[in-house]
Amino acid sequence: MSGSSIVSQPRVTIGIEGAQENIGNSPQQILIVGAFNPATATATSAVLTENVPNNNGAINTLFGAKSHIASLARSLRKMNSISKIDAIAIDATSLTTAATATVTVAGTATASGSFQLVVGSYKDHKLTINVASGDTATVIGDAIDTAVAADTSLQVASVNSSGTVVLTASDKGLTGNVIPLQIVSGSSVAGVTAVVTAGFASGAGDLATAGLFDVIGNERYQTVVYPSTSDVSILTDLLDARWNADNIVLDGVGVVGSVGTYSQVLAVGAAQNSQSLMVIGSKSVATNDLRGSSMVEFLDNVSAQFAGVRARRLTDGALISDLVVGSAALDAFGGSALASRPLFNTPFAYLPLIGIGYGWSNSEIELLLASGISIVGSNRTRTGVLAGEIVTTYKTDAASNPDESFNFLNKVDTSSQCREYFHNNIKKAYAQTRLTTGSLVSGRPMANEASIRGYLMSLYADLSGSDYALTVAGEASQKVFAENMTVTIDMSQGKVTVVFAKVPLVSQFREFLGSFRVAFDV
């Protein structure tokens, strides 16, 4: 082999190793589950579709513009354009029946005018029906048909017969039963009455079946958006088993909706008991103007928007100034620290106000929260929509004892972020390490009880610092953590067992109680 006869003495070789820095938590991933028709889409049924695009046109091509799951994806992307979204789209064509609803028009217009019909979403599918003087019910029904057909992403089709307009959900199955339908109050035409005769109902067939989640393997999704009408046990069976998985962090939270009367929604919360399940409750309405959810939005889209908000808040560096209220320089950007910041009062710019008298009363809200139902509703000035207190359905431990450890989503998120930080950094720090019960040898990767204790104390300190703000800061809390930590070494197995008996976590500022005495002098 030829060379250049270069003399280079003395021989010097210097290697470069990576910095010994701690690592953060995993990026947020969201999974959505919904219905579609494969004949109008490029996605494949019942497989994992990765990386749902951040573009409505691409979403419509992937899932079909009129599908339930396309609507979910579009709605989620309104709130979050950065997080990775995967999907399981389920072929709904083989399900039993599509839901139907009826709008009835009567009379002949005595003047020109218009009225507005909302199908599914006040923000996205508010149809203006223009009427000319002399138009009959049949002509006006045809105008409704035309408006429905012109909305190419609306999840329904319509057929008019002499002013009786029957709307049919695009996807068969139960998902169509929760589509709200509204004649907007105050929009009317002289000589004409238009009423919602029947809300969406009679859809039959559940998307969710055993084995639905087999396709995700050990992929972790911090949030799963799941159809409000599907068997929730399939979701909780998945997520509860992942809550304390061995040698891996897999936990996540499922978000579902529930629409019904107060007693119906209350019963939904009471029937569940999982730190991995969050239910958003909406009151049902049945009037001539509105049938379905009091918040005139596809119920699963509300869940999707919440999922988008949660993922953005927990994404390092994501700009979230539109999601937090009050001055907080560090909290203007997302990251693990937002796990401990309350979710209540989070604005939802793309959700409609709830009509006066149509929502939950204060007393109902308190009892719904206690049963594990979260609320999203209008602010006090009725200028926007906010999240109320966000709870999980967890109420008792395995022995049925009352337990408040995980009743709020903030508690779940704070605990999860802490667990993941410990897990990830212990994995890194001890990737190839000797274990000893004696002294450490300088220059050799080794660990003993004292060094392990010291390292875990440093991780706790990180979690209580400004980058995380998840554990209670200060000497007193560090002492509690240290004194309640046991480290046991089994040399024959190379096994270290650590019990963190107490990890003091920060909490939400939920309530302020005070009193004052009136005085008329100083």
Side-chain angles (χ1 to χ4, degrees):
M1 187 176 194
S2 62
S4 301
S5 300
I6 294 174
V7 177
S8 179
Q9 299 296 133
R11 293 170 60 88
V12 177
T13 301
I14 298 176
I16 300 175
E17 295 184 3
Q20 296 297 309
E21 296 180 354
N22 289 341
I23 57 177
N25 291 346
S26 303
Q28 294 290 301
Q29 296 194 129
I30 303 170
L31 178 67
I32 59 176
V33 178
F36 85 132
N37 178 352
T40 63
T42 59
T44 303
S45 178
V47 303
L48 184 65
T49 300
E50 297 189 68
N51 296 305
V52 171
N54 182 27
N55 174 280
N56 283 354
I59 288 170
N60 293 343
T61 298
L62 184 63
F63 298 122
K66 288 179 170 289
S67 72
H68 168 256
I69 196 165
S71 181
L72 283 181
R74 292 191 300 262
S75 197
L76 199 161
R77 282 304 191 196
K78 288 180 182 179
M79 304 303 293
N80 187 326
S81 62
I82 58 176
S83 295
K84 181 175 185 277
I85 302 173
D86 293 348
I88 303 175
I90 305 297
D91 182 358
T93 59
S94 62
L95 298 181
T96 310
T97 311
T100 60
T102 305
V103 173
T104 302
V105 181
T108 299
T110 58
S112 298
S114 65
F115 64 94
Q116 292 178 314
L117 175 67
V118 178
V119 186
S121 173
Y122 187 91
K123 294 281 188 178
D124 294 334
H125 301 295
K126 183 164 55 176
L127 311 177
T128 298
I129 313 301
N130 293 312
V131 179
S133 180
D135 282 354
T136 64
T138 297
V139 171
I140 297 168
D142 288 341
I144 293 175
D145 273 355
T146 300
V148 169
D151 189 337
T152 57
S153 61
L154 182 56
Q155 295 177 41
V156 305
S158 67
V159 175
N160 170 45
S161 177
S162 303
T164 299
V165 181
V166 176
L167 300 114
T168 302
S170 300
D171 294 310
K172 290 182 180 180
L174 296 167
T175 56
N177 290 342
V178 291
I179 299 174
L181 188 59
Q182 179 186 31
I183 304 286
V184 178
S185 178
S187 65
S188 60
V189 178
V192 174
T193 60
V195 299
V196 181
T197 314
F200 279 92
S202 301
D206 193 348
L207 292 175
T209 58
L212 171 68
F213 293 111
D214 290 351
V215 295
I216 69 173
N218 275 342
E219 192 72 9
R220 184 191 183 195
Y221 296 97
Q222 290 92 337
T223 314
V224 180
V225 181
Y226 189 76
S228 59
T229 52
S230 287
D231 179 2
V232 77
S233 67
I234 293 173
L235 176 65
T236 53
D237 285 350
L238 169 79
L239 294 176
D240 286 347
R242 289 175 161 224
W243 174 244
N244 281 320
D246 288 342
N247 198 35
I248 191 171
V249 177
L250 287 176
D251 57 277
V253 172
V255 185
V256 303
S258 176
V259 62
T261 65
Y262 167 69
S263 59
Q264 288 170 336
V265 176
L266 189 73
V268 169
Q272 302 298 324
N273 186 45
S274 173
Q275 73 287 326
S276 304
L277 180 65
M278 176 200 153
V279 180
I280 300 174
S282 184
K283 190 172 185 177
S284 60
V285 177
T287 69
N288 286 338
D289 292 335
L290 172 61
R291 292 183 186 268
S293 172
S294 57
M295 177 173 285
V296 188
E297 177 61 61
F298 294 112
L299 191 58
D300 293 341
N301 287 2
V302 179
S303 299
Q305 290 192 32
F306 182 86
V309 167
R310 179 173 182 254
R312 258 180 69 198
R313 280 172 46 114
L314 295 174
T315 297
D316 284 336
L319 181 62
I320 59 167
S321 54
D322 60 319
L323 302 180
V324 294
V325 293
S327 58
L330 293 178
D331 280 356
F333 296 91
S336 296
L338 272 293
S340 58
R341 180 159 181 164
L343 283 154
F344 55 73
N345 290 331
T346 299
F348 283 81
Y350 300 103
L351 294 180
L353 295 173
I354 295 173
I356 295 174
Y358 283 171
W360 307 114
S361 69
N362 290 339
S363 59
E364 287 173 336
I365 288 173
E366 291 304 313
L367 292 172
L368 287 167
L369 288 171
S371 77
I373 301 295
S374 300
I375 304 299
V376 177
S378 306
N379 62 19
R380 287 176 297 173
T381 57
R382 295 189 54 75
T383 56
V385 173
L386 303 174
E389 290 194 280
I390 302 300
V391 296
T392 71
T393 61
Y394 184 86
K395 295 174 280 291
T396 63
D397 63 17
S400 297
N401 300 306
D403 185 1
E404 296 185 346
S405 298
F406 308 115
N407 57 339
F408 286 96
L409 185 57
N410 282 117
K411 293 181 180 180
V412 171
D413 286 347
T414 301
S415 301
S416 178
Q417 291 291 324
C418 288
R419 182 236 305 273
E420 186 175 359
Y421 190 74
F422 278 117
H423 177 274
N424 289 349
N425 285 289
I426 290 168
K427 281 273 193 185
K428 179 182 177 182
Y430 301 117
Q432 282 191 323
T433 302
R434 300 172 181 85
L435 185 62
T436 181
T437 54
S439 299
L440 304 183
V441 177
S442 179
R444 304 290 184 183
M446 299 185 74
N448 60 14
E449 180 181 344
S451 70
I452 292 169
R453 281 182 170 276
Y455 183 62
L456 296 177
M457 287 297 299
S458 74
L459 295 182
Y460 179 89
D462 290 346
L463 291 169
S464 63
S466 61
D467 287 343
Y468 289 90
L470 299 176
T471 60
V472 179
E475 291 184 8
S477 59
Q478 290 182 10
K479 183 178 179 182
V480 168
F481 177 74
E483 290 180 346
N484 289 276
M485 174 171 54
T486 60
V487 180
T488 304
I489 294 177
D490 182 343
M491 290 295 292
S492 65
Q493 299 293 323
K495 181 178 180 180
V496 178
T497 302
V498 180
V499 177
F500 305 103
K502 286 188 178 180
V503 180
L505 303 180
V506 301
S507 184
Q508 305 175 71
F509 188 157
R510 295 181 52 240
E511 187 173 6
F512 179 90
L513 300 176
S515 64
F516 71 93
R517 178 175 294 174
V518 174
F520 299 101
D521 60 2
V522 294

